[in-house]
Amino acid sequence: MAVCARLCGVGQSRRCRRRQRHNQEDQGSDSDMDEEEEERIVGHNATVNRLEFVDRANTGPPNPQSLLDLPPELLVEIFSLLPGTALPNVALVCKKFKQILNTETIWRRRCMEEFGMREDLRKMEVGGVSSRDLYVKLLHPYRHILGLWQPDIGPYGGLLNVVVDGLFIIGWMYLPPHDPRVEDPMRRRPLFRIHMWESKKATVECMYGHKGPHKGDIQTVKKDEFSTKCNQTDHHRMPGGRQEEFRTWLEEEWGRTLEDIFHEHMQELILMKFIYTSQYDNCLTYRRIYLPPQLPSDLLQPGLFKGTYGSHGLEIVMLSFHGTAARATKLTGDPNVPAGQLTLDVDLSRPVVLPDLESQRSIEELSRLVLGVHEEVQREAQQQAKESSTTPEGAAEGACGDASGAEGVDTGSGACSESCQPGPSCSTSPPEAQPFILPLGVMARNEVYPRTCRKCFYGTGLIAGHGFTSPERTPGLFVLFDEDRFGFIWLELKSFSLYSRLTDHLAHAHAPNMERFEAMLRNMQSWTS
């Protein structure tokens, strides 16, 4: 009867009463029991059963049939494990769930696990802002802008990283080190911030200029795109007018004054960039970009690198791997080759073996090695195009024939054949570390470069006239120094670019898969073409 009472909530069940009547028929003498006495006994048992039910409800039923049967403290633990995006739907289930979701423990855990907040939560709570308000009014509404973005600043591009930083969501613009110190750490400049510090709602502030935070706005244009707007652009102006603004910008951007720059062409490039970029007044549109996925077969870890680009200074590129190809895409650019374009395209199936140090000093010897591979690539491309224009079957046969024909190329010239894949299994592969020196006549912005390298490969670099006119790919040599540095010798320009890895931790930035990453690369080229 006690079990039946617990299931029903109060009193006895019908089955219990039926069983009681059956027992009373079997007991003749008991059938004459006074009705008043029976009601007293039944009432007493019901009271006992109610007390037992209440006592057991504190720890929940032994066999709960649904989540509603669980005690509140267990529901709090379960809801704390759910992603924050699912909690609004949970609140719609019933009043009990909605009430439990007001528990601070749930939202504190969501802030910590999804956004990495720790000690900052205590500061917010001391300031009168609950973890629930912080999540619902700040972190959740603006979660879609966290990660890496490229601003639409014409050919110059850029790199914006939006992160939860302390009690704020901050958009940091990443700037390369001052030219030519490519191995120095990146510089950061805040462009905007969002917080709840002074009110119960999220506040957007523009951080551009030198007069402190002021009113701003953020608008979501569409998926993977948002815009910022400054509502008080007068805060960007300086008392000395445009001349003072230019001198301040020049010192921050280049670490020098105009008098220190003697090259007239370089002065023109710098002045052009200032005029072009300052007209936006921090009213910009940003498009999401991803870090490349890493595969076990990659030559080195893909990622972001800072590189030297002559009079244009240091620029940021993204190195990624696609089968036997390594590609570097510009995140920041210049009037010649804008951001988003494929600056380097390296063929990892065509390694180049460097000669001895004395021969490396000769630009003619290096040109002979690289141009020999370049001519071979062109012949194969022409042959493949010729065969593909006849029949599909011929194209398939030609692809196999190219690989077999490449085996007959004389490797004594210093270039490995296509069948010689990079790796320790190749008998002609260079050693792990071999001496390296730039040929005489090749210009380098940074004279301090590694004097040993691991491997070298044939590749092409993109060059163009001002305004991205007459773009063409020119042959060069890709030089892998170590896990964090590589270089490229531009033969036609007789110039050397040194690249150094960007080591900053970038959260919310990795591509979901390779397909999404490659689609992003295609979109980047269309943005600036």
Side-chain angles (χ1 to χ4, degrees):
M1 246 189 313
V3 174
C4 293
R6 287 199 300 273
L7 291 173
C8 301
V10 294
Q12 301 169 321
S13 69
R14 182 180 301 173
R15 189 174 60 183
C16 296
R17 291 194 293 271
R18 187 183 300 117
R19 185 169 56 202
Q20 185 181 25
R21 287 196 299 270
H22 178 71
N23 292 336
Q24 289 175 354
E25 290 173 2
D26 292 341
Q27 300 172 0
S29 58
D30 294 338
S31 61
D32 297 329
M33 181 180 294
D34 184 75
E35 289 183 4
E36 211 172 285
E37 180 69 10
E38 182 180 355
E39 289 178 1
R40 186 183 64 79
I41 295 174
V42 171
H44 173 73
N45 290 339
T47 303
V48 173
N49 290 334
R50 285 195 196 98
L51 293 174
E52 185 178 359
F53 170 77
V54 173
D55 182 64
R56 288 176 177 262
N58 291 332
T59 57
N63 296 304
Q65 301 299 312
S66 70
L67 286 175
L68 289 170
D69 297 331
L70 296 178
E73 59 269 19
L74 190 54
L75 288 175
V76 168
E77 183 64 25
I78 293 173
F79 294 164
S80 297
L81 299 175
L82 297 176
T85 52
L87 295 181
N89 292 332
V90 175
L92 297 175
V93 174
C94 63
K95 291 183 178 180
K96 179 179 180 181
F97 284 7
K98 184 177 181 180
Q99 185 177 6
I100 289 176
L101 284 175
N102 289 326
T103 307
E104 276 291 282
T105 305
I106 298 174
W107 301 100
R108 189 180 298 114
R109 187 166 180 174
R110 288 298 90 220
C111 293
M112 293 170 62
E113 293 188 359
E114 294 182 23
F115 300 99
M117 300 192 73
R118 292 290 185 271
E119 297 297 327
D120 302 315
L121 288 175
R122 299 178 183 176
K123 297 179 182 178
M124 293 295 293
E125 291 169 358
V126 170
V129 179
S130 67
S131 297
R132 185 180 187 278
D133 285 343
L134 181 67
Y135 188 96
V136 172
K137 297 180 181 179
L138 176 64
L139 300 178
H140 180 73
Y142 291 99
R143 72 192 186 285
H144 61 281
I145 70 170
L146 298 178
L148 291 181
W149 304 83
Q150 186 178 44
D152 185 5
I153 314 180
Y156 298 103
L159 178 64
L160 180 82
N161 187 27
V162 183
V163 297
V164 178
D165 193 335
L167 304 176
F168 304 89
I169 292 178
I170 300 182
W172 293 101
M173 180 69 84
Y174 275 65
L175 305 172
H178 293 139
D179 182 47
R181 299 193 293 269
V182 69
E183 297 194 40
D184 283 3
M186 295 287 289
R187 297 174 296 128
R188 299 193 308 172
R189 178 186 302 160
L191 292 190
F192 64 85
R193 71 179 186 180
I194 316 168
H195 64 89
M196 293 180 59
W197 194 246
E198 298 173 355
S199 64
K200 294 293 184 179
K201 63 179 182 178
T203 302
V204 179
E205 293 178 331
C206 176
M207 302 289 289
Y208 191 79
H210 300 271
K211 296 183 179 180
H214 46 283
K215 293 181 180 179
D217 189 25
I218 290 180
Q219 297 178 345
T220 302
V221 181
K222 56 184 178 180
K223 184 180 179 182
D224 293 336
E225 186 174 314
F226 76 95
S227 298
T228 58
K229 180 182 178 181
C230 177
N231 297 330
Q232 294 178 293
T233 55
D234 56 298
H235 280 63
H236 305 168
R237 308 282 80 86
M238 301 188 75
R242 296 289 279 174
Q243 186 174 6
E244 183 182 357
E245 291 172 17
F246 173 65
R247 289 186 175 276
T248 303
W249 175 88
L250 182 60
E251 189 169 348
E252 292 178 350
E253 187 83 8
W254 292 82
R256 61 183 77 176
T257 63
L258 194 61
E259 291 76 16
D260 297 332
I261 303 172
F262 302 104
H263 199 288
E264 185 176 347
H265 178 59
M266 192 171 182
Q267 290 181 353
E268 293 176 356
L269 291 174
I270 291 174
L271 184 59
M272 185 187 309
K273 185 175 183 180
F274 169 74
I275 295 174
Y276 194 98
T277 57
S278 61
Q279 65 179 331
Y280 288 91
D281 266 338
N282 206 25
C283 299
L284 297 168
T285 297
Y286 299 87
R287 298 182 179 92
R288 183 179 294 281
I289 58 177
Y290 295 110
L291 292 179
Q294 183 177 9
L295 301 175
S297 58
D298 292 346
L299 182 67
L300 71 159
Q301 181 182 351
L304 305 184
F305 290 78
K306 307 153 283 183
T308 55
Y309 280 86
S311 299
H312 299 293
L314 300 187
E315 298 184 10
I316 306 172
V317 303
M318 176 185 292
L319 180 68
S320 58
F321 294 90
H322 312 261
T324 58
R327 294 169 184 161
T329 304
K330 281 191 171 186
L331 297 186
T332 61
D334 51 70
N336 291 73
V337 179
Q341 295 300 314
L342 183 62
T343 179
L344 301 179
D345 191 0
V346 183
D347 191 343
L348 300 178
S349 68
R350 299 181 186 274
V352 175
V353 180
L354 294 178
D356 57 71
L357 272 179
E358 190 60 33
S359 299
Q360 287 184 39
R361 297 179 184 274
S362 169
I363 185 64
E364 292 78 12
E365 178 65 18
L366 179 63
S367 298
R368 186 182 67 83
L369 292 176
V370 176
L371 292 179
V373 181
H374 183 65
E375 292 171 0
E376 179 187 342
V377 171
Q378 288 183 318
R379 284 196 304 268
E380 292 178 1
Q382 292 172 358
Q383 181 68 18
Q384 196 171 28
K386 181 180 178 181
E387 293 177 352
S388 63
S389 64
T390 56
T391 60
E393 291 79 11
E397 292 174 0
C400 297
D402 288 343
S404 61
E407 295 177 1
V409 177
D410 180 17
T411 58
S413 63
C416 286
S417 67
E418 188 174 351
S419 62
C420 178
Q421 299 296 330
S425 60
C426 180
S427 59
T428 56
S429 293
E432 276 299 309
Q434 57 178 329
F436 173 81
I437 193 170
L438 285 176
L440 297 176
V442 173
M443 297 178 294
R445 298 287 294 177
N446 196 330
E447 297 180 359
V448 181
Y449 61 89
R451 292 303 195 267
T452 60
C453 67
R454 293 183 180 179
K455 295 179 180 180
C456 298
F457 298 92
Y458 160 80
T460 59
L462 183 61
I463 61 175
H466 186 84
F468 197 42
T469 56
S470 305
E472 63 172 317
R473 305 210 69 85
T474 181
L477 183 69
F478 176 89
V479 185
L480 175 62
F481 294 115
D482 51 45
E483 282 294 318
D484 297 322
R485 292 176 296 179
F486 65 87
F488 190 81
I489 300 177
W490 308 73
L491 288 182
E492 184 174 336
L493 303 178
K494 292 185 177 180
S495 177
F496 172 72
S497 292
L498 177 64
Y499 300 83
S500 177
R501 184 182 299 277
L502 193 154
T503 57
D504 300 64
H505 174 67
L506 303 173
H508 306 282
H510 288 86
N513 50 58
M514 196 63 182
E515 289 74 19
R516 287 281 295 275
F517 176 76
E518 291 181 342
M520 178 210 72
L521 288 182
R522 291 191 295 270
N523 290 334
M524 285 179 64
Q525 292 186 10
S526 66
W527 298 340
T528 56
S529 295

